[in-house]
Amino acid sequence: MEFKQSLLEDLEMNCRLCNTELEHLVVDLGITPLSNAFIEESSLDKKEPFYPLRVYVCHECFLVQLDGNIQTPKNIFSKYLYFSSFSKIWLDHTKELACEIIEKFECGQNTSVIEIASNDGYLLKHFKEKNIPLLGIEPASNIAEIAEKHGIKTINKFFGLETANELKESGYNADILLAINVLPHVPDLHNFLKGIKMILKKDGVLILQFSTYMIPFLQTTEFDSIYHEHFSYFSLLSIEKILSTFDLEIFDVKELSIHGGSLRLYVKNANNSNYMIQQSVNELRKKENNCGLSVISEYTKFSKRVDDIKLKICDFFFSAKRDGKKVVCYGAPAKGNTMLNFCGIDKDLIEYVVDISPHKQGLYLPGTHIQIKHPDIIRKTKPDYVVILAWNFKEEIMEKMDYIHEWNGKFVVMHPKVEIQK
Ligand code: JHZ
């Protein structure tokens, strides 16, 4: 297989990893607005851009991906409303990750830690507490500003070969390089990995983690995690192929339950013999093989399951409306917008949405124009159903909103199937 090294010009319908023409549709979710393009009240009457949302799988390298680059990261991420610090489950998870890295790789005052897409500093703060030298790189100016306020040294830039060169020239390189939930957001994988290669020290370790990992993604039909800012959806099979073209080698893997199923990879330069390749890598290769990840029909069957789920989701909202029930949603995650827009569920069926993030409150959901409010409104309006759009945090949300049972309110979760919670 020949890999293409320079990109973006002629990728329209070609694989962003190996340049093979994309022929196999996984799912077509119609035309939708960008999932994180929340709308201000004053803009509600303005024309809202909608874009095709289609996912293909490459029959050569099995990378699942959006066809073409409908949007540029600059448009999506320069100002961004996703702050990592609004879930206890996620914060606990990342604290554990930081502790694990510090212990496993014996990080100390001579270890240089760099995080790509460091958001508000939620992860790097644990390294700061131990006086470990660190640097965050974050493209969203509004988020980078907050990290800086918290004392996390942050460069407000997109990461890629150009930024890596600048860092290198300023004397930065990494013993530990972190990219947590970043890779799916990168349209030009080759440029990004060239940048990684440039700043990762010879004996450094790259830790990659991503949600929408292919085994749980296919098994639970996680269609709502598809949106325009997720350009690729990885398996070990596909990511190993691209890493190997840059002489990068996975020496350990961990399957994680966070965000509906994620994968963490520990990666080194291929010629670094400090780390033994763990059994976990081979075991996961076998597991992916047994799950059919190298069989195209395993991917193309997805679409039919999405259609079935859509019917069930619509059934719930329409029968609740017919029965005169008051329905609201909890959480305004990007994935909620994919689900609502694809299913055509709008403000005729949902009274309002609540979200704990003050950055989202007062705004309206893209496409459906449902208003986002503070969660306290639920206590006042006593809805019959609270549909949890941020299903990845359902336990945390149900625990803190448990009081809806006082008026016999019920939680509803739509992933992996539509279920009214007992
Ligand atoms: P959450 C984001 O997806 C975006 P989203 C991104 N593209 C990505 O890759 C994944 O994460 C990994 C709110 N909430 O994390 C906060 C409450 O209101 O599922 C958030 O707005 N109360 C980077 O947007 C939303 O729900 C709560 O108690 O799909 C959750 O968004 C909790 C726990 C959350 O991500």
Side-chain angles (χ1 to χ4, degrees), residues 191-251:
N191 179 282
F192 188 86
L193 284 163
K194 277 182 195 161
I196 291 233
K197 201 61 189 172
M198 168 88 55
I199 58 163
L200 183 67
K201 283 192 190 170
K202 269 198 201 128
D203 53 0
V205 174
L206 162 69
I207 294 151
L208 290 174
Q209 182 171 318
F210 43 81
S211 57
T212 60
Y213 170 46
M214 226 6 83
I215 292 182
F217 176 87
L218 291 177
Q219 284 180 346
T220 65
T221 318
E222 200 187 311
F223 78 91
D224 57 352
S225 292
I226 298 170
Y227 37 86
H228 298 97
E229 67 188 60
H230 286 166
F231 297 92
S232 305
Y233 306 78
F234 292 97
S235 57
L236 178 64
L237 178 68
S238 59
I239 200 157
E240 249 190 328
K241 286 187 176 149
I242 189 160
L243 290 175
S244 70
T245 61
F246 289 90
D247 284 329
L248 291 165
E249 191 169 36
I250 299 167
F251 65 93

Short mmCIF file of all heavy atoms in Angstrom, two decimals, residues 191-251:
data_model
loop_
_atom_site.label_atom_id
_atom_site.label_comp_id
_atom_site.label_asym_id
_atom_site.label_seq_id
_atom_site.Cartn_x
_atom_site.Cartn_y
_atom_site.Cartn_z
N ASN A 191 0.31 15.63 8.15
CA ASN A 191 0.97 16.85 8.63
C ASN A 191 1.07 16.81 10.17
O ASN A 191 2.10 17.15 10.75
CB ASN A 191 0.14 18.06 8.16
CG ASN A 191 0.73 19.36 8.64
OD1 ASN A 191 0.58 19.74 9.79
ND2 ASN A 191 1.44 20.05 7.75
N PHE A 192 0.00 16.37 10.81
CA PHE A 192 -0.05 16.30 12.28
C PHE A 192 1.04 15.34 12.79
O PHE A 192 1.79 15.65 13.72
CB PHE A 192 -1.44 15.82 12.69
CG PHE A 192 -1.72 15.87 14.16
CD1 PHE A 192 -2.19 17.03 14.76
CD2 PHE A 192 -1.54 14.74 14.96
CE1 PHE A 192 -2.47 17.08 16.12
CE2 PHE A 192 -1.82 14.78 16.32
CZ PHE A 192 -2.29 15.94 16.91
N LEU A 193 1.13 14.19 12.17
CA LEU A 193 2.10 13.18 12.65
C LEU A 193 3.54 13.58 12.33
O LEU A 193 4.45 13.26 13.08
CB LEU A 193 1.75 11.80 12.09
CG LEU A 193 0.56 11.20 12.84
CD1 LEU A 193 -0.07 10.07 12.07
CD2 LEU A 193 0.94 10.73 14.24
N LYS A 194 3.72 14.33 11.26
CA LYS A 194 5.06 14.87 11.00
C LYS A 194 5.45 15.80 12.13
O LYS A 194 6.60 15.82 12.58
CB LYS A 194 5.08 15.65 9.67
CG LYS A 194 5.24 14.79 8.46
CD LYS A 194 5.29 15.68 7.21
CE LYS A 194 5.08 14.87 5.96
NZ LYS A 194 4.67 15.68 4.82
N GLY A 195 4.49 16.59 12.58
CA GLY A 195 4.73 17.52 13.70
C GLY A 195 5.07 16.75 14.97
O GLY A 195 5.99 17.10 15.71
N ILE A 196 4.34 15.67 15.20
CA ILE A 196 4.59 14.83 16.39
C ILE A 196 6.01 14.29 16.33
O ILE A 196 6.76 14.33 17.31
CB ILE A 196 3.58 13.65 16.42
CG1 ILE A 196 2.19 14.20 16.69
CG2 ILE A 196 4.02 12.53 17.35
CD1 ILE A 196 1.42 13.64 17.80
N LYS A 197 6.36 13.77 15.18
CA LYS A 197 7.68 13.16 15.00
C LYS A 197 8.77 14.20 15.28
O LYS A 197 9.82 13.90 15.83
CB LYS A 197 7.73 12.68 13.54
CG LYS A 197 8.71 11.64 13.20
CD LYS A 197 8.57 10.33 13.89
CE LYS A 197 9.79 9.47 13.58
NZ LYS A 197 9.87 8.26 14.34
N MET A 198 8.48 15.43 14.89
CA MET A 198 9.46 16.51 15.04
C MET A 198 9.73 16.84 16.52
O MET A 198 10.86 17.10 16.90
CB MET A 198 8.87 17.74 14.31
CG MET A 198 9.53 19.05 14.56
SD MET A 198 10.89 19.36 13.46
CE MET A 198 10.17 19.17 11.88
N ILE A 199 8.68 16.81 17.37
CA ILE A 199 8.93 17.26 18.75
C ILE A 199 9.02 16.12 19.77
O ILE A 199 9.34 16.37 20.93
CB ILE A 199 7.90 18.31 19.25
CG1 ILE A 199 6.48 17.78 19.18
CG2 ILE A 199 8.06 19.63 18.54
CD1 ILE A 199 5.53 18.62 20.03
N LEU A 200 8.75 14.89 19.34
CA LEU A 200 8.89 13.78 20.28
C LEU A 200 10.37 13.41 20.39
O LEU A 200 11.03 13.14 19.38
CB LEU A 200 8.08 12.57 19.78
CG LEU A 200 8.06 11.35 20.69
CD1 LEU A 200 7.31 11.64 21.99
CD2 LEU A 200 7.42 10.14 19.99
N LYS A 201 10.89 13.43 21.62
CA LYS A 201 12.31 13.07 21.78
C LYS A 201 12.53 11.62 21.32
O LYS A 201 11.59 10.82 21.35
CB LYS A 201 12.70 13.20 23.25
CG LYS A 201 12.92 14.62 23.69
CD LYS A 201 13.59 14.62 25.05
CE LYS A 201 13.62 15.99 25.66
NZ LYS A 201 14.05 15.99 27.06
N LYS A 202 13.78 11.27 21.02
CA LYS A 202 14.11 9.91 20.53
C LYS A 202 13.57 8.85 21.46
O LYS A 202 13.03 7.83 21.04
CB LYS A 202 15.63 9.76 20.45
CG LYS A 202 16.19 10.14 19.13
CD LYS A 202 17.60 9.53 19.02
CE LYS A 202 18.38 10.28 17.99
NZ LYS A 202 19.66 10.73 18.45
N ASP A 203 13.71 9.08 22.79
CA ASP A 203 13.21 8.08 23.74
C ASP A 203 11.94 8.57 24.44
O ASP A 203 11.60 8.13 25.53
CB ASP A 203 14.30 7.70 24.76
CG ASP A 203 14.89 8.93 25.42
OD1 ASP A 203 14.45 10.05 25.09
OD2 ASP A 203 15.78 8.77 26.28
N GLY A 204 11.24 9.49 23.77
CA GLY A 204 9.99 10.01 24.35
C GLY A 204 8.81 9.06 24.14
O GLY A 204 8.90 8.11 23.36
N VAL A 205 7.69 9.35 24.84
CA VAL A 205 6.49 8.53 24.72
C VAL A 205 5.32 9.43 24.30
O VAL A 205 5.11 10.50 24.87
CB VAL A 205 6.15 7.84 26.06
CG1 VAL A 205 4.81 7.11 25.97
CG2 VAL A 205 7.25 6.86 26.45
N LEU A 206 4.60 8.96 23.30
CA LEU A 206 3.39 9.66 22.84
C LEU A 206 2.19 8.90 23.39
O LEU A 206 2.10 7.67 23.23
CB LEU A 206 3.38 9.65 21.30
CG LEU A 206 2.06 9.94 20.60
CD1 LEU A 206 1.65 11.40 20.80
CD2 LEU A 206 2.19 9.64 19.09
N ILE A 207 1.28 9.62 24.04
CA ILE A 207 0.06 8.96 24.53
C ILE A 207 -1.13 9.52 23.77
O ILE A 207 -1.43 10.71 23.84
CB ILE A 207 -0.08 9.14 26.06
CG1 ILE A 207 1.08 8.38 26.72
CG2 ILE A 207 -1.42 8.58 26.57
CD1 ILE A 207 1.51 8.93 28.00
N LEU A 208 -1.74 8.64 23.00
CA LEU A 208 -2.90 9.03 22.19
C LEU A 208 -4.14 8.40 22.80
O LEU A 208 -4.11 7.23 23.19
CB LEU A 208 -2.77 8.46 20.77
CG LEU A 208 -1.72 9.02 19.82
CD1 LEU A 208 -1.70 8.18 18.55
CD2 LEU A 208 -2.01 10.46 19.48
N GLN A 209 -5.19 9.15 22.89
CA GLN A 209 -6.47 8.56 23.34
C GLN A 209 -7.58 9.16 22.48
O GLN A 209 -7.53 10.33 22.13
CB GLN A 209 -6.69 8.89 24.82
CG GLN A 209 -7.98 8.27 25.37
CD GLN A 209 -8.09 8.41 26.89
OE1 GLN A 209 -7.11 8.22 27.60
NE2 GLN A 209 -9.27 8.71 27.38
N PHE A 210 -8.54 8.31 22.10
CA PHE A 210 -9.66 8.86 21.34
C PHE A 210 -10.93 8.10 21.67
O PHE A 210 -10.92 6.92 21.98
CB PHE A 210 -9.41 8.83 19.82
CG PHE A 210 -8.79 7.54 19.34
CD1 PHE A 210 -9.56 6.43 19.11
CD2 PHE A 210 -7.42 7.46 19.13
CE1 PHE A 210 -9.00 5.25 18.68
CE2 PHE A 210 -6.83 6.28 18.70
CZ PHE A 210 -7.63 5.17 18.48
N SER A 211 -12.06 8.84 21.61
CA SER A 211 -13.37 8.21 21.74
C SER A 211 -13.79 7.77 20.33
O SER A 211 -12.98 7.84 19.40
CB SER A 211 -14.37 9.18 22.36
OG SER A 211 -14.44 10.34 21.58
N THR A 212 -15.03 7.36 20.17
CA THR A 212 -15.51 6.77 18.91
C THR A 212 -14.57 5.66 18.42
O THR A 212 -14.26 5.55 17.23
CB THR A 212 -15.70 7.82 17.77
OG1 THR A 212 -14.46 8.47 17.50
CG2 THR A 212 -16.73 8.84 18.10
N TYR A 213 -14.07 4.86 19.38
CA TYR A 213 -13.23 3.71 19.03
C TYR A 213 -14.11 2.68 18.31
O TYR A 213 -15.23 2.41 18.73
CB TYR A 213 -12.58 3.13 20.30
CG TYR A 213 -11.91 1.81 20.04
CD1 TYR A 213 -11.09 1.62 18.94
CD2 TYR A 213 -12.12 0.73 20.90
CE1 TYR A 213 -10.49 0.40 18.68
CE2 TYR A 213 -11.52 -0.50 20.66
CZ TYR A 213 -10.72 -0.65 19.53
OH TYR A 213 -10.14 -1.87 19.27
N MET A 214 -13.58 2.10 17.24
CA MET A 214 -14.40 1.34 16.29
C MET A 214 -15.16 0.14 16.88
O MET A 214 -16.28 -0.11 16.44
CB MET A 214 -13.49 0.89 15.14
CG MET A 214 -13.99 1.07 13.75
SD MET A 214 -15.51 1.92 13.44
CE MET A 214 -15.02 3.62 13.48
N ILE A 215 -14.58 -0.59 17.86
CA ILE A 215 -15.34 -1.76 18.35
C ILE A 215 -16.65 -1.30 19.01
O ILE A 215 -17.74 -1.68 18.55
CB ILE A 215 -14.51 -2.66 19.30
CG1 ILE A 215 -13.40 -3.35 18.50
CG2 ILE A 215 -15.40 -3.71 19.97
CD1 ILE A 215 -12.55 -4.31 19.33
N PRO A 216 -16.62 -0.46 20.07
CA PRO A 216 -17.89 -0.03 20.65
C PRO A 216 -18.73 0.83 19.70
O PRO A 216 -19.97 0.76 19.72
CB PRO A 216 -17.50 0.77 21.89
CG PRO A 216 -16.06 1.09 21.73
CD PRO A 216 -15.47 0.05 20.84
N PHE A 217 -18.07 1.60 18.84
CA PHE A 217 -18.79 2.46 17.90
C PHE A 217 -19.72 1.61 17.02
O PHE A 217 -20.90 1.91 16.86
CB PHE A 217 -17.78 3.22 17.04
CG PHE A 217 -18.36 4.08 15.96
CD1 PHE A 217 -18.76 5.38 16.22
CD2 PHE A 217 -18.51 3.60 14.65
CE1 PHE A 217 -19.30 6.19 15.22
CE2 PHE A 217 -19.04 4.39 13.64
CZ PHE A 217 -19.43 5.68 13.93
N LEU A 218 -19.18 0.50 16.49
CA LEU A 218 -20.00 -0.36 15.63
C LEU A 218 -20.98 -1.18 16.46
O LEU A 218 -22.15 -1.32 16.11
CB LEU A 218 -19.12 -1.29 14.79
CG LEU A 218 -18.28 -0.64 13.70
CD1 LEU A 218 -17.40 -1.69 13.00
CD2 LEU A 218 -19.15 0.08 12.66
N GLN A 219 -20.49 -1.71 17.60
CA GLN A 219 -21.35 -2.61 18.37
C GLN A 219 -22.56 -1.89 18.97
O GLN A 219 -23.62 -2.47 19.12
CB GLN A 219 -20.54 -3.29 19.47
CG GLN A 219 -19.67 -4.41 18.89
CD GLN A 219 -18.84 -5.12 19.93
OE1 GLN A 219 -18.69 -4.66 21.07
NE2 GLN A 219 -18.27 -6.25 19.56
N THR A 220 -22.39 -0.62 19.33
CA THR A 220 -23.52 0.09 19.95
C THR A 220 -24.17 1.08 18.99
O THR A 220 -25.01 1.87 19.39
CB THR A 220 -23.08 0.84 21.23
OG1 THR A 220 -22.16 1.88 20.84
CG2 THR A 220 -22.41 -0.06 22.25
N THR A 221 -23.75 1.05 17.73
CA THR A 221 -24.29 1.95 16.70
C THR A 221 -24.27 3.41 17.19
O THR A 221 -25.29 4.09 17.26
CB THR A 221 -25.72 1.53 16.27
OG1 THR A 221 -25.75 0.12 16.14
CG2 THR A 221 -26.12 2.15 14.96
N GLU A 222 -23.04 3.87 17.47
CA GLU A 222 -22.90 5.19 18.08
C GLU A 222 -22.91 6.30 17.03
O GLU A 222 -21.97 7.07 16.89
CB GLU A 222 -21.58 5.21 18.87
CG GLU A 222 -21.49 6.28 19.92
CD GLU A 222 -20.10 6.35 20.52
OE1 GLU A 222 -19.55 5.30 20.90
OE2 GLU A 222 -19.57 7.45 20.61
N PHE A 223 -24.04 6.39 16.31
CA PHE A 223 -24.07 7.32 15.17
C PHE A 223 -24.02 8.79 15.60
O PHE A 223 -23.58 9.66 14.85
CB PHE A 223 -25.33 7.06 14.32
CG PHE A 223 -26.59 7.63 14.93
CD1 PHE A 223 -27.00 8.91 14.61
CD2 PHE A 223 -27.35 6.90 15.83
CE1 PHE A 223 -28.14 9.45 15.18
CE2 PHE A 223 -28.49 7.43 16.41
CZ PHE A 223 -28.89 8.71 16.08
N ASP A 224 -24.45 9.08 16.85
CA ASP A 224 -24.52 10.50 17.23
C ASP A 224 -23.13 11.12 17.46
O ASP A 224 -23.00 12.34 17.50
CB ASP A 224 -25.44 10.73 18.44
CG ASP A 224 -25.05 9.95 19.67
OD1 ASP A 224 -24.15 9.09 19.58
OD2 ASP A 224 -25.66 10.18 20.74
N SER A 225 -22.09 10.26 17.57
CA SER A 225 -20.73 10.82 17.71
C SER A 225 -20.14 11.24 16.37
O SER A 225 -18.99 11.65 16.29
CB SER A 225 -19.81 9.81 18.38
OG SER A 225 -20.22 9.66 19.71
N ILE A 226 -20.96 11.09 15.32
CA ILE A 226 -20.51 11.56 14.00
C ILE A 226 -20.90 13.02 13.87
O ILE A 226 -22.08 13.36 14.01
CB ILE A 226 -21.18 10.73 12.87
CG1 ILE A 226 -20.76 9.26 12.99
CG2 ILE A 226 -20.83 11.32 11.51
CD1 ILE A 226 -21.55 8.33 12.08
N TYR A 227 -19.95 13.88 13.68
CA TYR A 227 -20.24 15.27 13.32
C TYR A 227 -19.04 15.86 12.59
O TYR A 227 -17.98 15.23 12.54
CB TYR A 227 -20.68 16.12 14.52
CG TYR A 227 -20.05 15.87 15.85
CD1 TYR A 227 -18.86 16.49 16.20
CD2 TYR A 227 -20.64 15.05 16.80
CE1 TYR A 227 -18.28 16.29 17.45
CE2 TYR A 227 -20.07 14.83 18.04
CZ TYR A 227 -18.90 15.45 18.36
OH TYR A 227 -18.32 15.25 19.59
N HIS A 228 -19.22 17.05 12.03
CA HIS A 228 -18.22 17.56 11.08
C HIS A 228 -16.85 17.78 11.68
O HIS A 228 -15.87 17.86 10.97
CB HIS A 228 -18.72 18.86 10.43
CG HIS A 228 -19.97 18.67 9.64
ND1 HIS A 228 -21.22 18.94 10.14
CD2 HIS A 228 -20.17 18.18 8.39
CE1 HIS A 228 -22.14 18.67 9.23
NE2 HIS A 228 -21.53 18.21 8.16
N GLU A 229 -16.76 17.91 13.02
CA GLU A 229 -15.43 18.13 13.59
C GLU A 229 -14.69 16.82 13.83
O GLU A 229 -13.51 16.83 14.13
CB GLU A 229 -15.49 18.99 14.85
CG GLU A 229 -16.17 18.36 16.04
CD GLU A 229 -16.35 19.37 17.18
OE1 GLU A 229 -17.02 20.39 16.98
OE2 GLU A 229 -15.82 19.11 18.24
N HIS A 230 -15.39 15.69 13.71
CA HIS A 230 -14.72 14.39 13.79
C HIS A 230 -14.47 13.90 12.36
O HIS A 230 -15.35 13.32 11.73
CB HIS A 230 -15.60 13.37 14.53
CG HIS A 230 -15.64 13.61 16.01
ND1 HIS A 230 -16.56 13.02 16.84
CD2 HIS A 230 -14.85 14.36 16.81
CE1 HIS A 230 -16.33 13.41 18.08
NE2 HIS A 230 -15.31 14.23 18.09
N PHE A 231 -13.27 14.13 11.88
CA PHE A 231 -12.95 13.77 10.50
C PHE A 231 -12.68 12.26 10.36
O PHE A 231 -12.95 11.67 9.33
CB PHE A 231 -11.72 14.55 10.01
CG PHE A 231 -11.94 16.04 9.97
CD1 PHE A 231 -11.63 16.85 11.05
CD2 PHE A 231 -12.50 16.63 8.84
CE1 PHE A 231 -11.85 18.22 11.01
CE2 PHE A 231 -12.73 18.01 8.79
CZ PHE A 231 -12.40 18.79 9.89
N SER A 232 -12.08 11.64 11.42
CA SER A 232 -11.75 10.21 11.36
C SER A 232 -12.24 9.48 12.61
O SER A 232 -12.37 10.08 13.67
CB SER A 232 -10.23 10.00 11.31
OG SER A 232 -9.67 10.71 10.26
N TYR A 233 -12.47 8.16 12.46
CA TYR A 233 -12.99 7.30 13.52
C TYR A 233 -12.09 6.06 13.49
O TYR A 233 -12.14 5.29 12.53
CB TYR A 233 -14.46 6.96 13.23
CG TYR A 233 -15.30 8.23 13.01
CD1 TYR A 233 -15.25 8.94 11.80
CD2 TYR A 233 -16.08 8.76 14.03
CE1 TYR A 233 -15.96 10.12 11.61
CE2 TYR A 233 -16.81 9.94 13.85
CZ TYR A 233 -16.73 10.61 12.65
OH TYR A 233 -17.44 11.79 12.47
N PHE A 234 -11.28 5.88 14.54
CA PHE A 234 -10.16 4.95 14.44
C PHE A 234 -10.40 3.57 15.05
O PHE A 234 -11.16 3.42 16.00
CB PHE A 234 -8.93 5.53 15.14
CG PHE A 234 -8.36 6.74 14.44
CD1 PHE A 234 -8.70 8.01 14.86
CD2 PHE A 234 -7.52 6.60 13.35
CE1 PHE A 234 -8.18 9.13 14.23
CE2 PHE A 234 -7.00 7.71 12.70
CZ PHE A 234 -7.33 8.98 13.15
N SER A 235 -9.64 2.62 14.51
CA SER A 235 -9.45 1.31 15.14
C SER A 235 -7.94 1.16 15.35
O SER A 235 -7.16 1.96 14.82
CB SER A 235 -9.94 0.21 14.20
OG SER A 235 -9.25 0.31 12.96
N LEU A 236 -7.54 0.11 16.05
CA LEU A 236 -6.10 -0.17 16.16
C LEU A 236 -5.55 -0.47 14.76
O LEU A 236 -4.48 -0.02 14.37
CB LEU A 236 -5.87 -1.36 17.11
CG LEU A 236 -4.43 -1.82 17.28
CD1 LEU A 236 -3.59 -0.72 17.93
CD2 LEU A 236 -4.36 -3.09 18.14
N LEU A 237 -6.37 -1.22 14.00
CA LEU A 237 -6.00 -1.61 12.65
C LEU A 237 -5.62 -0.40 11.79
O LEU A 237 -4.58 -0.37 11.14
CB LEU A 237 -7.20 -2.35 12.03
CG LEU A 237 -7.12 -2.83 10.59
CD1 LEU A 237 -6.11 -3.94 10.48
CD2 LEU A 237 -8.49 -3.32 10.12
N SER A 238 -6.48 0.63 11.80
CA SER A 238 -6.20 1.77 10.92
C SER A 238 -5.10 2.66 11.49
O SER A 238 -4.25 3.16 10.76
CB SER A 238 -7.47 2.58 10.65
OG SER A 238 -8.03 3.05 11.85
N ILE A 239 -5.09 2.84 12.80
CA ILE A 239 -4.11 3.79 13.34
C ILE A 239 -2.70 3.22 13.29
O ILE A 239 -1.73 3.94 13.07
CB ILE A 239 -4.49 4.28 14.75
CG1 ILE A 239 -3.74 5.59 15.00
CG2 ILE A 239 -4.19 3.28 15.83
CD1 ILE A 239 -4.36 6.46 16.00
N GLU A 240 -2.61 1.90 13.45
CA GLU A 240 -1.28 1.28 13.37
C GLU A 240 -0.65 1.53 12.01
O GLU A 240 0.55 1.73 11.88
CB GLU A 240 -1.41 -0.22 13.60
CG GLU A 240 -0.81 -0.62 14.91
CD GLU A 240 -0.70 -2.11 15.08
OE1 GLU A 240 -1.55 -2.87 14.56
OE2 GLU A 240 0.24 -2.53 15.75
N LYS A 241 -1.51 1.53 10.98
CA LYS A 241 -0.99 1.71 9.62
C LYS A 241 -0.37 3.08 9.45
O LYS A 241 0.72 3.21 8.91
CB LYS A 241 -2.11 1.49 8.60
CG LYS A 241 -2.42 0.03 8.49
CD LYS A 241 -3.39 -0.30 7.41
CE LYS A 241 -3.53 -1.82 7.36
NZ LYS A 241 -4.81 -2.29 6.94
N ILE A 242 -1.08 4.09 9.93
CA ILE A 242 -0.51 5.43 9.71
C ILE A 242 0.68 5.68 10.63
O ILE A 242 1.67 6.28 10.23
CB ILE A 242 -1.58 6.55 9.81
CG1 ILE A 242 -0.94 7.85 9.35
CG2 ILE A 242 -2.19 6.70 11.17
CD1 ILE A 242 -1.90 8.90 8.93
N LEU A 243 0.64 5.17 11.85
CA LEU A 243 1.78 5.40 12.76
C LEU A 243 3.04 4.75 12.18
O LEU A 243 4.13 5.33 12.25
CB LEU A 243 1.48 4.85 14.16
CG LEU A 243 0.41 5.61 14.95
CD1 LEU A 243 0.12 4.90 16.27
CD2 LEU A 243 0.83 7.05 15.23
N SER A 244 2.87 3.57 11.59
CA SER A 244 4.06 2.86 11.11
C SER A 244 4.73 3.60 9.95
O SER A 244 5.94 3.52 9.77
CB SER A 244 3.72 1.42 10.74
OG SER A 244 2.94 1.43 9.58
N THR A 245 3.96 4.39 9.18
CA THR A 245 4.60 5.14 8.09
C THR A 245 5.50 6.24 8.64
O THR A 245 6.32 6.80 7.91
CB THR A 245 3.58 5.78 7.12
OG1 THR A 245 2.79 6.69 7.86
CG2 THR A 245 2.71 4.77 6.44
N PHE A 246 5.33 6.58 9.91
CA PHE A 246 6.19 7.58 10.54
C PHE A 246 7.18 6.93 11.51
O PHE A 246 7.72 7.60 12.38
CB PHE A 246 5.33 8.64 11.25
CG PHE A 246 4.60 9.51 10.27
CD1 PHE A 246 3.34 9.15 9.81
CD2 PHE A 246 5.20 10.64 9.74
CE1 PHE A 246 2.68 9.92 8.88
CE2 PHE A 246 4.55 11.42 8.81
CZ PHE A 246 3.29 11.07 8.37
N ASP A 247 7.36 5.62 11.36
CA ASP A 247 8.26 4.87 12.25
C ASP A 247 7.88 5.06 13.71
O ASP A 247 8.74 5.21 14.58
CB ASP A 247 9.73 5.29 12.03
CG ASP A 247 10.26 4.67 10.76
OD1 ASP A 247 9.80 3.56 10.41
OD2 ASP A 247 11.10 5.32 10.11
N LEU A 248 6.59 5.07 13.95
CA LEU A 248 6.09 5.12 15.33
C LEU A 248 5.45 3.77 15.63
O LEU A 248 4.77 3.19 14.77
CB LEU A 248 5.07 6.26 15.48
CG LEU A 248 5.65 7.67 15.39
CD1 LEU A 248 4.54 8.70 15.18
CD2 LEU A 248 6.47 8.02 16.65
N GLU A 249 5.64 3.30 16.85
CA GLU A 249 5.22 1.93 17.17
C GLU A 249 4.42 1.93 18.48
O GLU A 249 4.82 2.55 19.47
CB GLU A 249 6.48 1.09 17.36
CG GLU A 249 6.23 -0.39 17.45
CD GLU A 249 7.56 -1.16 17.37
OE1 GLU A 249 8.58 -0.67 17.91
OE2 GLU A 249 7.56 -2.25 16.81
N ILE A 250 3.30 1.22 18.45
CA ILE A 250 2.46 1.13 19.66
C ILE A 250 3.05 0.05 20.56
O ILE A 250 3.26 -1.08 20.11
CB ILE A 250 1.02 0.76 19.26
CG1 ILE A 250 0.43 1.85 18.34
CG2 ILE A 250 0.13 0.57 20.49
CD1 ILE A 250 -0.84 1.46 17.64
N PHE A 251 3.31 0.40 21.84
CA PHE A 251 3.86 -0.66 22.71
C PHE A 251 2.88 -1.08 23.81
O PHE A 251 3.11 -2.06 24.51
CB PHE A 251 5.23 -0.27 23.29
CG PHE A 251 5.25 0.91 24.22
CD1 PHE A 251 5.12 0.73 25.59
CD2 PHE A 251 5.41 2.19 23.73
CE1 PHE A 251 5.16 1.82 26.46
CE2 PHE A 251 5.45 3.29 24.58
CZ PHE A 251 5.32 3.10 25.95
#
